[in-house]
């Protein structure tokens, strides 16, 4: 067994885990944070993207022990209470989801993009989303939402 | 995934010792190749020795006429390096186009090089740039390092600490990607330093390789036309659902010419 302490959405979580526990299993099964989804389970679809020390990672392809001592942000940690994060609000406003399964990963990936590039172009967004798949094929509205979300974040909304 | 013992050594000596005393241990860097293998039970190490806490293995720095990149430097940080952009921009571009952002945030130079994937993008860059792999025990020329599919010159317990890339006069990488995986069906990296030209091919054989005949022709005249009439023999090339050996041979010629043309375009800019 391994002893890990990970700061998840601002709260320190210490658990005894088997070293083979994936970060996504730790989040979903040990902490009950089921907003992070497992789509492909093979590092391709991006449904499980979370931020580890501010950077997007596929939590299905990272061991929880590798995240020991880091800060992890999941989709549950981005809203301010009942007030949606501007990026979440933009996804709702622009109808950027149909089934919604890929949405948590899309939002988390978008947040790292905006962190690196405050005013991404459509091409920047499409290139950045290479590792996030939407099986409803709704990319057009996702791209529009991310552009709007980035603009809202820049205005501090 | 099978169970394993997990170690997080703080020094290279501790890491090497942990591996040597394990029954069948494995180092782990970013884990972008190893974790999928563990999940599919293609790999079942008794012990995983995580290199992430060892200091001094990350970063891009200038050393004389070379750029030295720490083995644990993430692809995202290599791609973002202003130093690399000013010295070997093509290397930064190549790394910035590998996989996707979330993978680049985890994957490392040392992990990729040690894995020795025959379709990976780093190996042709190392070979064409004449890089040196620095390990805990010795330095190894890239030409002696990649020995086969997923096989390298690394010995058990030896750890890559950095790779030194001599700065070329000009370089270009052209990749014909699989549209789904984005791995190279064929990738050609060409680099020129004075009269010295190296041209390395990935994705086409069990191991990255150089094309001497093209190099010699390009050393005489560094223009695409110089290699137009050089035929690539398909016999030893990979055959799979993505491409026949004949198609790969054709792609090598085309990618090689385009790579040379791309360096010319860069010089004019």
């Amino acid at each position: 067994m391994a002893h890990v302490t990970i700061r998840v959405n601002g709260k320190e979580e210490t658990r005894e885990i088997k070293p083979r526990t994936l970060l996504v299993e730790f989040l979903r099964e040990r902490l009950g944070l089921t907003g992070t989804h497992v789509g492909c389970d093979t590092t391709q679809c991006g449904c499980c993207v979370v931020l580890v020390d501010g950077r997007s990672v596929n939590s299905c392809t990272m061991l929880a022990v590798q995240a020991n001592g880091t800060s992890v942000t999941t989709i549950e940690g981005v809203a301010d209470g009942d007030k949606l994060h501007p990026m979440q609000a933009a996804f709702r406003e622009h109808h950027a989801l149909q089934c919604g399964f890929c949405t948590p990963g899309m939002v988390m990936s978008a947040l790292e993009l905006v962190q690196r590039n405050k005013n991404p172009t459509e091409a920047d967004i499409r290139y950045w989303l290479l590792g996030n798949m939407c099986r409803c094929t709704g990319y057009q509205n996702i791209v529009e939402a991310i552009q709007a979300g980035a603009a809202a974040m820049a205005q501090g909304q | 995934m099978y169970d394993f013992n997990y170690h997080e050594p703080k020094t290279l000596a501790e890491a090497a010792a942990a591996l040597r005393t394990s029954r069948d241990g494995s180092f782990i860097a970013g884990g972008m190749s190893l974790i999928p293998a563990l999940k599919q039970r293609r790999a079942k190490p008794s012990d995983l020795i995580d290199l992430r806490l060892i200091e001094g293995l990350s970063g891009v720095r200038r050393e004389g006429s070379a750029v030295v990149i720490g083995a644990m430097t993430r692809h995202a940080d290599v791609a973002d390096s202003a130093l690399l952009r000013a010295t070997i921009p093509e290397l930064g571009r190549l790394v910035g186009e590998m996989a996707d952002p979330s993978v680049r945030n985890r994957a490392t130079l040392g992990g990729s090089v040690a894995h020795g994937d025959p379709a990976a993008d780093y190996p042709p860059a190392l070979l064409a740039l004449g890089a040196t792999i620095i390990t805990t025990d010795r330095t190894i020329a890239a030409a002696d390092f990649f020995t086969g599919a997923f096989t390298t010159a690394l010995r058990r317990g030896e750890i890559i600490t950095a790779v030194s890339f001599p700065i070329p006069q000009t370089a270009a990488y052209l990749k014909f990607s699989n549209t789904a995986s984005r791995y190279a069906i064929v990738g050609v990296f060409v680099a020129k330093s004075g009269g010295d030209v190296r041209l390395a091919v990935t994705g086409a054989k069990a191991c990255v390789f150089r094309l001497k005949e093209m190099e010699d022709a390009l050393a005489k005249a560094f223009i695409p036309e110089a290699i137009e009439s050089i035929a690539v023999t398909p016999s030893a090339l990979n055959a799979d659902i993505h491409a026949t050996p004949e198609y790969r041979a054709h792609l090598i010629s085309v990618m090689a010419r385009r790579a040379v043309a791309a360096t010319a375009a860069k010089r004019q800019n």
Side-chain angles (χ1 to χ4, degrees):
Chain A
M1 295 299 273
H3 188 79
V4 294
T5 300
I6 304 173
R7 198 170 182 84
V8 180
N9 299 328
K11 186 166 168 255
E12 279 210 348
E13 303 282 2
T14 300
R15 298 285 190 284
E16 288 292 320
I17 58 168
K18 282 191 166 187
R20 70 177 187 187
T21 308
L22 296 168
L23 179 58
V24 71
E25 294 168 342
F26 181 80
L27 295 170
R28 288 177 58 88
E29 292 164 25
R30 297 301 294 271
L31 304 184
L33 296 172
T34 54
T36 302
H37 294 163
V38 180
C40 69
D41 202 20
T42 53
T43 339
Q44 297 177 65
C45 77
C47 291
C48 67
V49 167
V50 299
L51 302 183
V52 176
D53 287 337
R55 298 169 72 151
S56 63
V57 306
N58 289 297
S59 60
C60 81
T61 312
M62 182 170 179
L63 300 168
V65 285
Q66 292 177 296
N68 191 17
T70 66
S71 275
V72 172
T73 308
T74 71
I75 192 67
E76 289 91 345
V78 300
D80 178 12
D82 287 340
K83 189 173 180 286
L84 291 180
H85 185 283
M87 189 59 77
Q88 292 174 301
F91 269 66
R92 187 172 69 176
E93 181 67 25
H94 289 265
H95 193 63
L97 52 140
Q98 290 182 47
C99 83
F101 192 86
C102 70
T103 311
M106 289 283 179
V107 170
M108 300 316 287
S109 284
L111 291 179
E112 195 202 4
L113 170 64
V114 176
Q115 198 174 289
R116 295 167 61 99
N117 178 354
K118 287 195 168 30
N119 187 20
T121 63
E122 182 184 338
D124 293 337
I125 295 168
R126 288 187 184 277
Y127 186 64
W128 189 262
L129 292 182
L130 199 68
N132 291 88
M133 292 183 189
C134 167
R135 300 285 318 252
C136 308
T137 70
Y139 295 103
Q140 185 57 37
N141 289 354
I142 291 169
V143 172
E144 284 169 18
I146 292 175
Q147 222 157 5
M153 285 168 71
Q155 286 167 21
Q157 285 177 12
Chain B
M1 197 185 308
Y2 292 108
D3 279 320
F4 51 81
N5 303 308
Y6 177 74
H7 310 260
E8 34 188 358
K10 293 199 169 55
T11 66
L12 288 165
E14 280 172 29
L19 189 99
R20 288 191 178 111
T21 54
S22 71
R23 184 170 53 76
D24 181 22
S26 175
F27 295 122
I28 182 165
M32 289 298 97
S33 299
L34 183 52
I35 294 174
L38 295 172
K39 288 169 71 173
Q40 293 172 1
R41 298 185 175 180
R42 285 188 283 116
K44 41 179 182 175
S46 61
D47 296 68
L48 267 196
I49 296 117
D50 192 340
L51 305 176
R52 75 192 160 89
L53 296 181
I54 302 172
E55 285 181 15
L57 296 183
S58 290
V60 182
R61 62 180 193 275
R62 176 85 184 245
E63 267 186 26
S65 58
V67 174
V68 178
I69 306 179
M72 287 293 280
T73 314
R74 312 274 173 191
H75 292 356
D77 295 326
V78 173
D80 285 348
S81 166
L83 172 63
L84 201 59
R85 214 169 298 135
T87 49
I88 321 177
E90 195 64 356
L91 184 58
R93 186 188 70 80
L94 168 161
V95 177
E97 291 180 4
M98 282 186 202
D100 63 56
S102 304
V103 170
R104 290 196 295 273
N105 277 338
R106 296 292 304 154
T108 67
L109 165 63
S112 171
V113 170
H115 187 50
D117 189 312
D121 296 315
Y122 259 130
L126 267 67
L127 207 51
L129 292 169
T132 303
I133 293 102
I134 303 160
T135 77
T136 41
D137 303 348
R138 56 188 167 142
T139 60
I140 309 169
D144 302 324
F145 186 84
F146 299 103
T147 53
F150 305 104
T151 326
T152 70
L154 284 174
R155 299 174 190 137
R156 185 171 153 79
E158 186 174 14
I159 303 169
I160 302 173
T161 58
V163 177
S164 174
F165 297 88
I167 299 167
Q169 214 175 323
T170 184
Y173 180 58
L174 258 288
K175 170 160 88 161
F176 193 87
S177 302
N178 176 303
T179 46
S181 73
R182 290 176 60 80
Y183 266 95
I185 292 175
V186 163
V188 174
F189 197 109
V190 65
K192 181 180 190 301
S193 294
D196 197 16
V197 175
R198 288 201 192 86
L199 188 146
V201 183
T202 190
K205 278 190 185 175
C207 184
V208 65
F209 63 98
R210 283 168 63 184
L211 276 175
K212 192 84 179 60
E213 201 183 344
M214 284 195 185
E215 292 178 351
D216 292 344
L218 289 169
K220 289 190 194 108
F222 198 68
I223 49 171
E225 293 74 26
I227 51 174
E228 219 161 25
S229 60
I230 297 175
V232 179
T233 318
S235 59
L237 301 182
N238 292 344
D240 54 31
I241 58 165
H242 308 300
T244 60
E246 291 74 21
Y247 185 39
R248 277 198 167 84
H250 174 71
L251 284 174
I252 291 170
S253 294
V254 174
M255 293 296 125
R257 288 203 299 275
R258 286 187 189 173
V260 176
T263 63
K266 270 195 266 293
R267 279 198 300 277
Q268 278 159 17
N269 289 340

